[in-house]
Amino acid sequence: MELLEQISFNLQNGLDDVVAALTKDAIEKRIPPGEILSDGLIAGMSIVGEKFKNHDIFLPDVLLAARAMNGAMEMLKPLLIKEGIPIRGKVVIGSVKDDLHDIGKNLVAILIKGAGFEVIDLGNDVPAEKFISAAKEENAHVIGMSALLTTTMPVMKKVVDLAKDEGLYGKIRIIVGGAPVSKEYALEIGADAYSYDGANAVETVESFFPVNN
Amino acid sequence: MRSVVDFAPEDVILDRAAILGSQGIPEEAELTENFERIYGEAIELFKELTEPAGIICGISISGFEEVFRGEGLNEPSNPVEDIYRKSGYLSLFAVTLGAVLSEKVTELFDSGDYASGYMLDSVSSYAADKLSDLAARNLQLELTAKEPAESQWRVLSYSPGYCGWNMSGQKKLFEVLRPQEIGITLNESYLMSPIKSVSGVLIAGSGKIHEFVSSYHFCDTCRTKSCIERMRNL
Ligand code: B1M
């Protein structure tokens, strides 16, 4: 099996150590980093995504693959930057103020990262102002917010309003999610999109690009 | 009467099919070796780290009326109001699995072991829910033992955030129940810490009082629809 195929294959099986060793090998053999990314890692992740959609595998298997992907990306990132290959896009993500539940947000962040985007995870209990300042500092393309309860959802509107005040609205995309959030609520507050789960969040973020690139 | 309830870790029954079901996995699904390993490890970790605790506090119908009214934000028409008025016994409750489990979940995510973190969180979520069922069952057994002739007691739990009982109801509930004693605190957005905690009222009466048609407007946005299963099991 060719080296990049091996990377893809082992990534599908969630073998992070093997994927890391093979990626190192590929870098040493001077395979262009863009190729390692597209024909090895992203190729493997796409198959994982397909299998997940068809219920051949389930979330824990996807998370193992994402871990392998992220480990290899750490090695590739400096090389991609050096070669001027653009990162797919930057997403600032967090659970809103007072919300201490972050598993849903974590899953979304991992899956978006696993799809090759750069993710800045602000953690949980994130005030509205922090989303905006981080998005500005990081030159992010997307702000992602998560909430567990209806009582913390109003912070999402506050972020949208602040984005309007700061002239970011329309330039930066805003995506919201979490158990009590709905498409209607996203529309009502002026967010660009609502996602019901991690895989859907990846598709939504992908649909935003190219944005501002 | 207000009392702290001691649960033993083994009291929390972990039903594999139900846990996998909560992850959207059908019973007949074929699972990978990786999946089985992660599931097995999560069950072991859960057993090691869970610190189940509960607190209950019997309350009169008029006393509960005040708690239920809360901040005046409940849905004007809701099933809980009809049910508690017909009850024979009411008890406020709060249960928790403790903070250590959630800390472990965070630690696993932070170390990049996402799959194990997710699985432990999922097992814990299921168990927290079942702990409130256990509190209800214990009360049912207690009431039935006191009045064996009237073994019609059926106890179900109802929680703020469900069935038209507004989340802000947590405030009054906490004032009366004071679950801080077992380590449960409430923040300004009515979120409880530890995360794997459930609060509410145990309503005891005949099975009949718990029956309602789930056609209230807020039933459309309910994500669990667990009332259907609960009524089926009465
Ligand atoms: C940036 O873009 C994006 C895009 C997508 C995004 C996103 C961001 N963020 C999330 N997503 C999406 O992708 C993620 C991955 O697929 C998903 O993230 P989630 O975080 O939703 O998913 C998790 C990985 C798994 N999902 C979950 O953990 C939540 C599932 C449900 C069934 C649920 C569970 C399991 C639990 N609960 Co409770 N619980 C419900 C939930 C109903 C439901 N079906 O969603 C919900 C959230 N709970 C509710 C309530 C009321 C409560 N719960 C409580 C307790 C519990 C348990 C402990 C039993 C348990 C675990 C809770 C936990 N979070 O750890 C209480 C609060 C707990 C607290 N600490 O304060 C309590 C207040 C009840 C009480 N009085 O005790 C409801 C909230 C209603 C409201 N008005 O806000 C609720 C919606 C159920 C309902 N009534 O329909 C998606 O939402």
Side-chain angles (χ1 to χ4, degrees):
Chain A
M1 210 190 288
E2 209 202 309
L3 189 51
L4 297 186
E5 260 178 72
Q6 283 183 44
I7 291 181
S8 162
F9 177 79
N10 285 289
L11 181 134
Q12 290 165 49
N13 290 316
L15 299 172
D16 56 333
D17 291 346
V18 182
V19 172
L22 291 169
T23 305
K24 188 165 173 267
D25 199 13
I27 293 169
E28 281 165 6
K29 290 203 166 107
R30 303 208 175 276
I31 298 179
E35 240 169 77
I36 305 177
L37 177 65
S38 60
D39 300 352
L41 300 171
I42 293 186
M45 255 343 243
S46 306
I47 297 174
V48 169
E50 268 315 298
K51 285 187 177 167
F52 180 59
K53 258 193 195 158
N54 297 334
H55 304 293
D56 292 332
I57 58 171
F58 298 97
L59 197 53
D61 300 297
V62 179
L63 293 173
L64 286 177
R67 178 187 196 171
M69 168 91 185
N70 292 349
M73 271 306 279
E74 287 305 311
M75 280 188 254
L76 280 183
K77 211 166 113 185
L79 302 175
L80 292 168
I81 292 171
K82 207 161 129 197
E83 298 220 340
I85 298 170
I87 302 281
R88 285 186 93 181
K90 221 184 229 190
V91 183
V92 161
I93 195 166
S95 293
V96 296
K97 174 108 181 66
D98 274 356
D99 219 308
L100 308 171
H101 160 95
D102 57 4
I103 303 308
K105 179 271 295 168
N106 286 350
L107 295 177
V108 170
I110 291 158
L111 296 179
I112 293 178
K113 203 167 163 193
F117 293 91
E118 186 167 350
V119 175
I120 317 290
D121 189 343
L122 304 176
N124 59 25
D125 196 13
V126 181
E129 296 75 15
K130 176 81 185 157
F131 278 103
I132 299 296
S133 61
K136 275 181 165 174
E137 273 161 34
E138 298 287 347
N139 273 320
H141 305 92
V142 181
I143 292 178
M145 290 179 275
S146 178
L148 171 73
L149 301 175
T150 35
T151 45
T152 57
M153 278 162 52
V155 180
M156 294 178 161
K157 176 164 177 358
K158 204 170 160 196
V159 171
V160 175
D161 292 345
L162 274 178
K164 285 180 183 162
D165 296 346
E166 301 275 333
L168 291 176
Y169 193 66
K171 292 185 192 147
I172 206 162
R173 299 300 184 99
I174 300 177
I175 167 173
V176 292
V181 184
S182 63
K183 197 173 169 181
E184 292 70 35
Y185 181 73
L187 258 175
E188 185 190 313
I189 63 168
D192 293 284
Y194 156 75
S195 282
Y196 51 85
D197 68 8
N200 183 247
V202 172
E203 280 171 15
T204 307
V205 170
E206 280 176 335
S207 76
F208 290 158
F209 287 88
V211 165
N212 294 344
N213 277 337
Chain B
M1 244 241 318
R2 181 170 167 275
S3 58
V4 169
V5 186
D6 280 325
F7 294 109
E10 55 277 14
D11 288 345
V12 187
I13 309 227
L14 300 170
D15 176 338
R16 179 185 157 105
I19 294 170
L20 299 189
S22 74
Q23 296 178 21
I25 303 175
E27 245 174 283
E28 67 283 2
E30 261 184 55
L31 302 170
T32 61
E33 251 174 63
N34 277 338
F35 189 106
E36 292 292 2
R37 175 180 52 79
I38 289 164
Y39 179 78
E41 286 169 1
I43 295 290
E44 287 314 308
L45 260 181
F46 175 84
K47 288 180 183 162
E48 188 187 315
L49 302 177
T50 184
E51 293 172 339
I55 188 160
I56 54 170
C57 178
I59 189 165
S60 64
I61 290 186
S62 58
F64 182 66
E65 212 156 67
E66 176 76 16
V67 171
F68 184 71
R69 196 177 308 122
E71 309 302 293
L73 296 171
N74 294 338
E75 294 290 343
S77 163
N78 64 75
V80 187
E81 201 156 338
D82 299 336
I83 296 167
Y84 82 72
R85 294 219 164 104
K86 292 183 219 143
S87 70
Y89 185 81
L90 291 168
S91 178
L92 302 179
F93 81 96
V95 290
T96 184
L97 294 173
V100 182
L101 271 174
S102 299
E103 283 160 16
K104 186 68 188 177
V105 169
T106 305
E107 187 190 309
L108 288 167
F109 269 100
D110 289 349
S111 69
D113 197 349
Y114 317 132
S116 304
Y118 167 73
M119 191 63 86
L120 183 59
D121 185 75
S122 169
V123 171
S124 310
S125 287
Y126 167 83
D129 202 28
K130 289 298 132 194
L131 199 58
S132 62
D133 289 353
L134 191 60
R137 211 189 57 208
N138 286 351
L139 179 62
Q140 186 169 309
L141 289 174
E142 203 182 297
L143 293 172
T144 309
K146 271 188 202 151
E147 294 175 51
E150 300 193 39
S151 55
Q152 91 285 15
W153 288 112
R154 290 290 175 273
V155 182
L156 286 185
S157 66
Y158 295 82
S159 295
Y162 281 87
C163 303
W165 186 1
N166 192 272
M167 283 286 306
S168 60
Q170 293 276 54
K171 195 173 167 201
K172 280 256 160 63
L173 197 153
F174 265 62
E175 276 167 21
V176 178
L177 182 62
R178 288 171 282 128
Q180 292 85 346
E181 192 176 330
I182 55 161
I184 307 179
T185 59
L186 191 67
N187 75 11
E188 279 180 13
S189 296
Y190 310 118
L191 191 96
M192 291 178 282
S193 285
I195 281 284
K196 304 301 178 197
S197 303
V198 181
S199 65
V201 64
L202 302 175
I203 303 186
S206 70
K208 233 169 159 37
I209 69 160
H210 297 288
E211 284 172 15
F212 65 93
V213 182
S214 50
S215 57
Y216 295 86
H217 74 89
F218 47 81
C219 298
D220 295 345
T221 50
C222 177
R223 300 274 168 161
T224 65
K225 315 263 189 267
S226 49
C227 59
I228 297 166
E229 179 75 14
R230 281 154 49 103
M231 285 191 270
R232 199 183 299 135
N233 291 338
L234 275 171

